Amino acid sequence: MTTDFRELEAAALGAMTAQERARFDVAAAEEEARLRVAELVYAARKRAKLTQGALAARMGTTQSVVSAVENGAQLPSFVTLDKFARALGMSLRVEFQDVA
């Protein structure tokens, strides 16, 4: 017999204290942000037809930094995001949107 992932998830989340759930929610939001940034950087680099090494050279950093951002291991600062944008011939725009 198999158990559905969502059932296991609901049970685990339901067993958490309020403090544990708050920490979990913060960590989940941070992970989501890292993955969204990773997808954006990867897609922009691919559109520019650059390798990670070529992008890194334009930014004055290393290929491993580009890789870490693209695989979601590192959430870059706004300064680094701006370097990504400029190296890709783009500008960085940050905006707040209402949640529907």
Side-chain angles (χ1 to χ4, degrees):
M1 177 176 180
T2 61
T3 304
D4 180 63
F5 172 77
R6 294 295 174 202
E7 290 176 28
L8 292 171
E9 179 184 45
L13 294 174
M16 290 181 182
T17 66
Q19 188 177 27
E20 289 170 333
R21 181 56 193 259
R23 284 195 310 267
F24 175 85
D25 289 344
V26 167
E30 289 174 358
E31 179 68 13
E32 184 179 333
R34 275 195 307 277
L35 293 177
R36 280 196 317 255
V37 168
E39 290 171 1
L40 291 169
V41 169
Y42 175 80
R45 179 179 63 79
K46 285 299 193 180
R47 279 192 309 275
K49 297 183 169 106
L50 293 172
T51 64
Q52 289 180 343
L55 177 56
R58 287 184 179 191
M59 294 174 62
T61 190
T62 63
Q63 177 273 332
S64 62
V65 169
V66 174
S67 177
V69 170
E70 286 189 0
N71 70 33
Q74 181 179 327
L75 183 59
S77 68
F78 283 110
V79 170
T80 301
L81 283 173
D82 189 57
K83 287 181 182 181
F84 271 106
R86 290 173 185 272
L88 291 163
M90 305 171 88
S91 63
L92 178 64
R93 181 180 76 190
V94 178
E95 62 184 43
F96 291 96
Q97 296 179 339
D98 290 330
V99 177

